[in-house]
Amino acid sequence: MYQPRVRTLLDPVQVAARAKLLVDQFNTMKTDAVTLGDRDMALGVSLLTDLHKRADYPWLVANLQSADTGEPVFETRVIKEVAGVKVGLLGVTLPTSITGITAGADAPWRVTDPTIAAIREAKALRSEGAEIILVLAHLTEKEQRTLAGQMAVATAILGGQGVRMLKHPESHGGVYITEPSIKGKYLSIMTLHVWEGKEAKGSFVDRYHGTGLEERIAQLSGRISSYERIVERRQKEDAEKKQQPEAPEDSRAKHMRRATNVDHLKKQLVKLQTERQQLQLELDEAVEVDPSANYMSYELFAVDIHHPDEPKIAKAVNAFLKKYPKAAAKRPGLPPVPAKKR
């Protein structure tokens, strides 16, 4: 028997209240800029327009345009001065969307090619005096790498759409790519160190490139071991199944079986093994960096109950949860963190 999936629709009043709460707290944190994702688009034109007016920071979406005029819906770029250095920020979002406001012939907005839009805005930032260019990218892993390959003028692409948790940035064509997983569970901090008397326009070396490669290789090795165990188990299950009379199965079960068949798993395993070999080769051929060059450092850490809340923000969140108790997520408590030996 086929069992349909049932979804509980969210209360639109609660959704709007939560969105306003987030914007207000970003205001409190003095946020420099954000870009939008496909789920943000799902809020609709009217609510997004109101939220944008409420925000004290720019919404950088260079490839989101009005279907009627072709003009950008929100801001496309901004320059911030940090420690005397002009830092240019631009943002791009997914070229495909699941929402009605950017999909279909009658959609009021449309999303254009993110690479073309990013290159255009980067050139404008350079002409306006930006020394460092950072891209806020709500893009897939493949799209991030494509963008990096065609945008050498950028220093880094700060990704926020995929599920990868990069403990150290990737580098493609001299452009760093970071991605701190999803749902705000991790915080990544990239620091660009500029020596006094040096220009910030040039590249930033990665002093910790070797360490980063070793961590990525270790991550891949863990995933490879997991896939190998799954393949071994599935092969054993398939062998046992062949010895048994074939039993009827519904369409959903067939779909799940096809999606996780051994051939598919083996292809994924080969892909991971190839990536690990490439990283190992890169590690073996790594050379020492110039100690006098400007450099990049990176941190990634979990945002959990062991980090104290900002009192003002915690008060606002608790007030929201009191008004909308169904919005409170039930999460199990985390185990205590063991003391580090020094």
Side-chain angles (χ1 to χ4, degrees), residues 51 64 133 166 171 253 278 335:
L51 292 171
L64 181 64
I133 295 177
L166 295 179
S171 180
Q278 291 172 341

Side-chain angles (χ1 to χ4, degrees), residues 25 43 47 64 77-78 89 92 111 144 169 178 184 209 232 251 269 273-274 282 286 295-296 299 311 318 340:
Q25 303 326 304
L43 295 174
L47 180 54
L64 181 64
R77 64 184 184 274
V78 68
L89 302 172
V92 285
V111 181
Q144 290 171 10
T178 71
H209 181 58
E232 183 180 357
S251 59
L269 184 57
Q273 290 170 333
T274 301
E282 186 178 347
Y295 67 98
M296 177 276 301
E299 300 172 80
N318 289 332
K340 292 183 178 179

Side-chain angles (χ1 to χ4, degrees), residues 121-290:
E121 297 304 316
K123 288 180 179 178
L125 284 169
R126 269 286 191 253
S127 68
E128 293 165 2
E131 300 168 83
I132 293 172
I133 295 177
L134 304 176
V135 183
L136 308 181
H138 187 81
L139 302 175
T140 64
E141 176 183 345
K142 182 179 179 181
E143 289 162 343
Q144 290 171 10
R145 290 175 175 173
T146 298
L147 180 58
Q150 300 184 42
M151 201 176 171
V153 69
T155 299
I157 295 172
L158 311 181
Q161 192 275 337
V163 298
R164 296 186 300 165
M165 184 183 67
L166 295 179
K167 292 185 177 180
H168 197 80
E170 293 181 351
S171 180
H172 291 270
V175 179
Y176 294 115
I177 297 177
T178 71
E179 195 166 345
S181 193
I182 57 175
K183 298 182 179 179
K185 294 181 178 180
Y186 294 86
L187 177 65
S188 63
I189 302 175
M190 173 179 281
T191 305
L192 301 175
H193 304 262
V194 181
W195 292 106
E196 186 175 356
K198 281 189 175 289
E199 288 190 353
K201 281 186 178 180
S203 60
F204 288 77
V205 300
D206 184 358
R207 288 187 174 185
Y208 312 100
H209 181 58
T211 302
L213 287 174
E214 290 172 352
E215 290 179 347
R216 288 173 61 194
I217 290 171
Q219 280 184 307
L220 282 172
S221 296
R223 292 178 64 188
I224 288 169
S225 296
S226 178
Y227 267 86
E228 287 174 339
R229 289 193 297 269
I230 295 172
V231 168
E232 183 180 357
R233 185 175 70 246
R234 288 305 304 269
Q235 286 177 327
K236 183 179 179 181
E237 290 173 353
D238 288 349
E240 292 174 350
K241 195 169 186 179
K242 287 180 180 179
Q243 298 176 0
Q244 299 173 357
E246 188 172 348
E249 56 182 345
D250 60 32
S251 59
R252 181 175 175 80
K254 285 183 179 179
H255 173 75
M256 293 298 293
R257 181 167 54 81
R258 283 197 300 268
T260 56
N261 63 38
V262 174
D263 289 339
H264 171 76
L265 293 170
K266 284 182 176 179
K267 288 179 182 178
Q268 291 297 108
L269 184 57
V270 170
K271 182 180 177 182
L272 293 173
Q273 290 170 333
T274 301
E275 185 177 355
R276 183 175 63 178
Q277 289 173 352
Q278 291 172 341
L279 290 176
Q280 185 62 55
L281 181 62
E282 186 178 347
L283 177 62
D284 294 340
E285 296 178 349
V287 296
E288 291 188 11
V289 300
D290 180 1

Side-chain angles (χ1 to χ4, degrees), residues 21 28 34 38 52 66 109 134 141 146 185 187 192 226 249 322 326:
L21 171 73
T28 299
V34 301
D38 47 329
H52 180 246
S66 165
W109 297 346
L134 304 176
E141 176 183 345
T146 298
K185 294 181 178 180
L187 177 65
L192 301 175
S226 178
E249 56 182 345
K322 185 176 181 180
K326 291 184 179 180

